[in-house]
Amino acid sequence: MTPPTPSSSPSESLRLGRATIRDVVPYPTERLPCTADLSDNTNLFGAPPAALRELTTAGRDEITRYPGLHARSLREALAGYAGVRSDQVVSGCGSDDVIDSAVRAFAEPGERLAYSDPTFSMIPVFAKVNGLVPTPVRFAASGDIDPEALLATDARIIYICSPNNPTGSLAARRSVDRVIERAPGIVIIDEAYGEFTDSGRVGEAPEHDRVLVTRTLSKAFGMAGFRIGYGTGAASLVHEIEKVRGPYKENAPAERAAACALREDVAWMRDLAAKAVQNRERFAGALRAHGLDVLPSAANFLLVPIANAALVAQRMRERGIAVRPYPGLPGIGDALRITIGPWALMELALDALLGARASVVTTQPGR
Ligand code: PMP
């Protein structure tokens, strides 16, 4: 067989790629300059002070040498924050890495990964790149997850995102309990936005033998650039994920700075998460006052159903504001997801949205 050359055409590389990933679209990475980026749900209030301080003290060894094999100091700090033992924590290059590794650790190619649709857009991708069958089911009419529909898939992995990206909805505790009780395989509960609610199971995951709760330092903690996420679960579960994930997934300066922030900046984070929640409700009120539809949210973003969302987002972008458009979400239609930050940014976002709406047809059929 002739090895691929750098001049291989896209169709040749398509032929060489695994059949199961042919229709996987790479995550959009384009980041055009803008006045305010409200597109990725990061902490728009700033970075944790202890992390900033620690970063300036990185020594030569931290750059020339490999980091610790199992990120011990980070795991201890994460365990202290989450209220579990350090052997009940697995960290990774973002919670993306933890979820992806868990998918590989607990399901064979050909098995199903079930989730309520719409949810975090990487989930069907993680299923496909690991040879699993993405199996979406509808949310219940109430907006809650539908435990029976998830269980009826007989999926090896059931993924529940709560608060859910992009809708912002919380899964009812009773419904999640039902899934945990009956699931034939593992249940992944993604709490990337858990800091914006009072609920959450990050501390109790190890009580079950089949539950992995994932969280991240990318959102409320304001450290997306460090790429640190983690999961909590029974030590035996964590061990399986670590085998698959492999070593050296966190870089040394980020690990040290993040561990400091977890010890010293929790009050800072909680204060800003509370501000985001306050601004979210105020922004939702302002949108509704202008006749826009807004879904109730338990996270640091709002989903705004609006026709022609891609065009509205483009017009907002021309006004310097980046938001995330979603075309044709199941049960919702076109919508914009808008990250909540300091009020001054939300005022800019409102102006841009109203200006964009005035220039585009935004009536949704059937809503
Ligand atoms: N889960 C959800 C629900 C998310 O929205 C995101 C980021 N968009 C992630 C996981 C991954 O975050 P990270 O890899 O930065 O931890």
Side-chain angles (χ1 to χ4, degrees):
M1 197 169 79
T2 318
T5 62
S7 61
S8 292
S9 68
S11 58
E12 275 175 80
S13 61
L14 201 62
R15 193 165 45 76
L16 292 168
R18 275 168 42 210
T20 45
I21 61 166
R22 261 174 216 158
D23 62 344
V24 172
V25 180
Y27 198 78
T29 49
E30 193 188 21
R31 287 278 192 272
L32 297 173
C34 55
T35 313
D37 188 348
L38 311 183
S39 71
D40 59 12
N41 305 338
T42 48
N43 185 338
L44 298 169
F45 294 89
L52 286 171
R53 183 198 69 220
E54 283 299 304
L55 267 190
T56 61
T57 65
R60 198 187 84 157
D61 277 1
E62 269 183 319
I63 294 164
T64 59
R65 308 207 56 205
Y66 281 100
L69 202 58
H70 295 295
R72 205 171 70 207
S73 68
L74 176 65
R75 269 163 77 137
E76 281 166 4
L78 288 167
Y81 170 69
V84 299
R85 295 198 318 256
S86 62
D87 65 345
Q88 295 167 332
V89 178
V90 53
S91 58
C93 175
S95 50
D96 275 351
D97 189 26
V98 178
I99 298 169
D100 182 36
S101 303
V103 170
R104 246 190 329 285
F106 297 110
E108 296 289 354
E111 292 185 314
R112 284 188 280 276
L113 188 165
Y115 53 92
S116 306
D117 192 27
T119 197
F120 180 33
S121 58
M122 287 302 290
I123 297 307
V125 176
F126 291 144
K128 281 185 194 163
V129 298
N130 290 304
L132 271 62
V133 183
T135 310
V137 307
R138 281 284 178 121
F139 276 93
S142 64
D144 191 13
I145 59 164
D146 181 341
E148 303 314 319
L150 287 165
L151 292 166
T153 62
D154 202 29
R156 194 75 199 145
I157 298 182
I158 296 180
Y159 168 87
I160 297 170
C161 190
S162 181
N164 184 46
N165 176 9
T167 58
S169 59
L170 268 183
R173 194 169 174 89
R174 216 162 13 117
S175 307
V176 178
D177 282 341
R178 170 95 182 138
V179 173
I180 294 171
E181 271 160 33
R182 306 291 294 276
I186 189 172
V187 180
I188 300 177
I189 305 174
D190 183 340
E191 294 185 351
Y193 302 97
E195 275 80 11
F196 300 102
T197 76
D198 293 331
S199 57
R201 295 179 181 249
V202 71
E204 65 189 75
E207 292 164 20
H208 306 273
D209 59 357
R210 60 181 55 216
V211 175
L212 176 76
V213 173
T214 57
R215 287 211 174 186
T216 182
L217 302 190
S218 302
K219 309 296 182 184
F221 267 104
M223 296 186 274
F226 283 172
R227 303 302 300 125
I228 294 176
Y230 63 103
T232 60
S236 53
L237 213 77
V238 158
H239 180 68
E240 293 306 302
I241 299 170
E242 284 198 328
K243 283 201 291 197
V244 167
R245 185 215 51 196
Y248 306 130
K249 288 299 179 94
E250 293 92 8
N251 71 76
E255 179 189 340
R256 186 160 54 83
C260 280
L262 284 161
R263 283 192 288 264
E264 297 177 33
D265 289 333
V266 172
W268 171 92
M269 179 278 291
R270 288 202 207 289
D271 184 41
L272 294 183
K275 279 206 177 79
V277 168
Q278 211 181 352
N279 287 353
R280 179 189 76 208
E281 293 311 302
R282 188 173 169 197
F283 190 57
L287 293 173
R288 290 193 183 106
H290 284 94
L292 285 149
D293 194 6
V294 185
L295 268 59
S297 169
N300 67 336
F301 56 82
L302 284 172
L303 192 72
V304 182
I306 189 166
N308 281 320
L311 192 53
V312 176
Q314 190 188 316
R315 296 276 159 83
M316 288 180 75
R317 190 68 194 230
E318 287 158 11
R319 291 166 167 80
I321 306 296
V323 297
R324 175 95 184 253
Y326 287 86
L329 289 175
I332 296 169
D334 275 19
L336 296 175
R337 194 193 64 196
I338 306 177
T339 306
I340 305 296
W343 189 248
L345 292 187
M346 303 327 296
E347 282 180 325
L348 294 179
L350 183 63
D351 283 352
L353 176 50
L354 296 178
R357 179 177 70 166
S359 69
V360 178
V361 177
T362 56
T363 315
Q364 252 338 345
R367 273 194 81 88

